[in-house]
Amino acid sequence: MIEVGGIGWVTAREHGCAARGERTGSDDDGSLDRFFRDGLFAYPFKNHGRLDRASRLTAVGVALALRDAGLSYSAEEKQNIGIIGTSDEGSLASDLLYFKDYAECGRTLSRANLFIYTLPSSALGEAAIHFGLQGPLLYLTAERASLQAALETAEEMLELGEAEAMLAGAVNGQEALYFFLTRAGAGQPNRLGSAREARQKAAKGRTLGDVIQQFQRRQKGES
Amino acid sequence: MTAQRALVVAADMLTPYGAGADALWTGLLSGRTAISGVTRFSTQAFQSSSAGCVDGLSYHQGESLALQMLRRLFSRTQGAIPTNASLLLATTKGEIDILEQAVLTGGNDPAESGLGRLARKTADLAGLTGEVLVLSAACASASAATARAAAMVRSGRSDCVLVAACDGVTEFVYAGFSSLMALDPHGARPFDRGRKGLTVGEAAAYALIMSEDRARREGRPVLGEIAGWGMSDDANHMTGPSRTSEGLVLAIKKALQSAGAAGEEIGCISAHGTGTVYNDAMEMGAFRAVFGPQPLPIYSVKGGIGHTMGAAGLVEIITALRALAEATVPPTVNLREPDHDAEGWVSSVAHPLVGKRAALVTNAGFSGINTAVIVRAEARG
């Protein structure tokens, strides 16, 4: 069985960790800067100033999920942990930023530091570098229920022995939600049930915000 | 439930050599490159002026490059694809030329370039009614999608998956690679001592992957098996590969384990072989680390067609199956003088492949993504 070892989320109003029962209101200005200043990460996030919004949200969501799972990490001592992410808009915002800038420069010079975020998998790459995630890395999107598809693919990878653990989650607008998944008996305490249950619960939400509320309710014992 | 073998029962491609796997195979064996001058946008400001383009596509007029290629591809299927197949679409930038037009002329909604919309169009072109997913793992997208398709079959989640892959040569992408100083002004020369970078290319391809039970039940011809796969990330740099090769080594070891194969079983390697100094050196480091110092035949198709990005892995998997079927290792087009670490491994001429039924296909992409896929030919007789 594949289990959920940790869940982390961030919205415009708060951030939290499901197993630890943490919900903290946010006075963030929307830039997420305080997460990069105030010790959420085990060590400074290199070049965080250049990250696009999807990368920032992904980094915060992953950091919260790993903290919830009680997993320590290091960019130097990499682990066979994979990451699968999804989002409604992919890299559209970064695509526009890059290409408008290129067009405004007379179509002669494009900026490499904008180009690198024009892949929907780039946000996952930034997370992999910071957290030392050496497992599979994949962006996916489905016609319906992309988060469930990401969770299902992560479960499948663990069942087939493709990674030691997986992170799977979604980013949309100002919200991010990430799950840390492991095989049962892999040494992580199972405090949040099975991945299948999480997937079913996630299916009850129409938006990522709805899904996040599903897991906020769980820790308050409302479900 | 017994794990099902994942068999390739149909495949096709459209590349700068033309339509079909035959065109690519013949082109590679001829040693002639299909890379030529770009005419669809100005390259005056860029590091290079050449690309691997498919003939007869219109740019910024009507349909996107990707959709034109996919339409041409799926017009050739002749009923080979069952309507209930799941679809995995692999791409990096899909219909990004729609966004280009929106920015340059204000004529389109840039959101129309979304990958999900292309996936729906692809499903409609292929006549599919099942699950539709887009997978994107930079320039390893298609091999990652093929691995996931095989995993879906092996795990019993699906018994028939269509993997489709495409990417076009657009100003968006070309300018980006030029800004990274990643283009070789003379055309990609994978594993060559004088290589200076990649050449952007475009292609579309599909492979129909089916469980052995269903393939037998339907009497399908079998082109080969997706026998094993491994994915990893360097977790090192956004655009440059690891200089230690450790990420690709991990992916290859996972693939061998997934296939239940020993290194000796591998007859040849279809390398990512972009022609950039660092990629090719990283790959050679990984091959030597896994397989030892004794040379194993490797080749790259990118001197022939350029780097077809999100389509590359699938074009290369289909070509590796062809190499096994023909018992021939194709040449690396544009290779003049092998780099010192590739001497004895890579060749500008074709070689016979004797007594081997498996090949390794490797790909890599931005964010340090690595994929390794092992394909196996069916036993004869």
Side-chain angles (χ1 to χ4, degrees):
Chain A
M1 186 176 77
I2 308 304
E3 295 176 342
V4 180
I7 301 172
W9 73 84
V10 59
T11 69
R13 292 183 177 179
E14 65 168 42
H15 65 274
C17 296
R20 291 162 65 107
E22 291 177 1
R23 292 180 68 174
T24 306
S26 175
D27 55 1
D28 193 76
D29 59 0
S31 68
L32 304 168
D33 275 346
R34 75 184 181 97
F35 291 105
F36 292 88
R37 281 195 315 260
D38 296 347
L40 171 63
F41 300 98
Y43 40 87
F45 203 112
K46 280 185 196 167
N47 304 318
H48 69 84
R50 76 170 189 198
L51 301 184
D52 68 351
R53 180 153 195 86
S55 299
R56 287 176 157 244
L57 281 162
T58 301
V60 172
V62 167
L64 290 165
L66 292 174
R67 184 166 83 173
D68 201 36
L71 194 89
S72 57
Y73 56 84
S74 162
E76 309 306 322
E77 293 177 30
K78 297 165 190 172
Q79 303 178 74
N80 186 13
I81 299 173
I83 181 166
I84 300 179
T86 184
S87 60
D88 281 351
E89 293 210 329
S91 57
L92 178 62
S94 294
D95 290 349
L96 282 168
L97 188 65
Y98 158 77
F99 201 69
K100 281 180 177 173
D101 177 75
Y102 167 72
E104 284 162 9
C105 290
R107 296 166 78 177
T108 56
L109 185 69
S110 70
R111 292 179 209 256
N113 62 330
L114 297 180
F115 181 60
I116 61 174
Y117 293 110
T118 63
L119 290 169
S121 51
S122 295
L124 308 172
E126 291 284 11
I129 292 167
H130 180 79
F131 298 104
L133 310 175
Q134 213 167 21
L137 187 154
L138 194 62
Y139 169 89
L140 67 76
T141 183
E143 258 187 320
R144 291 177 293 276
S146 292
L147 177 58
Q148 289 93 303
L151 285 164
E152 188 173 21
T153 302
E155 285 176 65
E156 193 173 76
M157 284 181 169
L158 289 170
E159 283 163 355
L160 294 175
E162 297 182 47
E164 295 296 322
M166 290 296 300
L167 287 147
V171 164
N172 274 326
Q174 297 189 68
E175 297 162 341
L177 171 66
Y178 264 86
F179 297 79
F180 179 78
L181 309 179
T182 57
R183 281 187 289 274
Q188 289 289 321
N190 177 16
R191 295 170 294 184
L192 295 166
S194 72
R196 180 181 295 233
E197 288 165 354
R199 194 154 32 93
Q200 288 166 348
K201 202 173 181 68
K204 293 178 184 170
R206 278 178 45 248
T207 65
L208 184 58
D210 291 345
V211 175
I212 290 171
Q213 280 187 11
Q214 296 292 327
F215 293 95
Q216 290 169 334
R217 284 197 199 105
R218 178 189 178 105
Q219 67 186 84
K220 292 199 299 186
E222 291 175 5
S223 64
Chain B
M1 188 171 61
T2 311
Q4 282 281 328
R5 293 168 70 217
L7 303 179
V8 180
V9 298
D12 199 4
M13 63 175 76
L14 179 66
T15 72
Y17 279 123
D22 281 352
L24 177 71
W25 185 252
T26 308
L28 292 177
L29 292 187
S30 76
R32 174 185 60 85
T33 183
I35 292 169
S36 59
V38 177
T39 56
R40 62 179 63 147
F41 50 82
S42 169
T43 56
Q44 210 167 7
F46 302 141
Q47 208 187 355
S48 168
S49 59
S50 57
C53 293
V54 170
D55 280 343
L57 301 179
S58 58
Y59 187 54
H60 289 181
Q61 292 170 28
E63 290 183 338
S64 68
L65 294 170
L67 195 60
Q68 291 174 69
M69 288 191 285
L70 289 166
R71 187 179 296 285
R72 232 189 261 184
L73 187 70
F74 287 114
S75 69
R76 295 160 43 92
T77 57
Q78 298 177 323
I81 302 169
T83 57
N84 64 352
S86 306
L87 172 66
L88 299 187
L89 175 68
T91 183
T92 62
K93 294 313 307 168
E95 296 184 287
I96 197 66
D97 36 347
I98 292 176
L99 181 140
E100 289 179 333
Q101 283 182 278
V103 171
L104 297 174
T105 67
N108 292 326
D109 175 1
E112 288 292 327
S113 66
L115 303 184
R117 296 178 197 221
L118 179 59
R120 171 38 51 202
K121 294 173 194 172
T122 307
D124 291 344
L125 283 175
L128 302 183
T129 57
E131 182 183 10
V132 175
L133 281 173
V134 177
L135 298 190
S136 194
C139 293
S141 293
S143 43
T146 306
R148 292 333 310 152
M152 288 167 72
V153 168
R154 185 178 283 185
S155 68
R157 181 171 152 195
S158 178
D159 64 0
C160 183
V161 186
L162 178 71
V163 182
C166 62
D167 261 321
V169 174
T170 60
E171 189 174 352
F172 184 107
V173 168
Y174 204 96
F177 278 117
S178 185
S179 73
L180 289 165
M181 306 297 285
L183 302 178
D184 189 329
H186 306 293
R189 293 167 283 172
F191 300 106
D192 192 277
R193 196 164 293 186
R195 70 186 184 274
K196 289 192 170 144
L198 59 83
T199 296
V200 181
E202 66 192 1
Y206 79 79
L208 187 64
I209 297 174
M210 206 172 256
S211 70
E212 185 171 22
D213 283 354
R214 182 164 172 180
R216 282 192 177 162
R217 201 166 59 239
E218 296 186 2
R220 296 274 183 166
V222 177
L223 303 179
E225 178 188 3
I226 306 299
W229 55 90
M231 290 185 68
S232 70
D233 194 84
D234 293 341
N236 177 63
H237 194 273
M238 284 299 283
T239 55
S242 161
R243 295 195 187 194
T244 66
S245 310
E246 63 180 321
L248 184 57
V249 168
L250 177 62
I252 295 171
K253 287 182 174 175
K254 284 182 182 183
L256 288 167
Q257 187 176 22
S258 168
E264 296 75 39
E265 196 187 325
I266 303 300
C268 66
I269 301 172
S270 165
H272 192 51
T274 58
T276 67
V277 171
Y278 293 117
N279 172 82
D280 295 4
M282 179 278 288
E283 285 197 280
M284 284 312 306
F287 299 151
R288 286 174 179 275
V290 174
F291 298 104
Q294 187 64 31
L296 192 60
I298 67 171
Y299 65 92
S300 165
V301 304
K302 292 185 176 75
I305 60 172
H307 185 355
T308 58
M309 302 171 285
L314 191 53
V315 167
E316 291 160 18
I317 284 168
I318 297 167
T319 305
L321 286 168
R322 181 65 178 263
L324 293 172
E326 301 277 351
T328 300
V329 182
T332 295
V333 176
N334 275 358
L335 178 74
R336 292 178 184 88
E337 191 179 1
D339 205 352
H340 69 278
D341 61 351
E343 278 176 8
W345 296 67
V346 66
S347 174
S348 59
V349 296
H351 283 283
L353 179 61
V354 182
K356 301 282 188 180
R357 287 179 42 226
L360 169 68
V361 180
T362 58
N363 290 107
F366 281 4
S367 300
I369 300 171
N370 302 288
T371 58
V373 173
I374 292 172
V375 296
R376 225 183 239 131
E378 292 294 277
R380 293 180 192 212

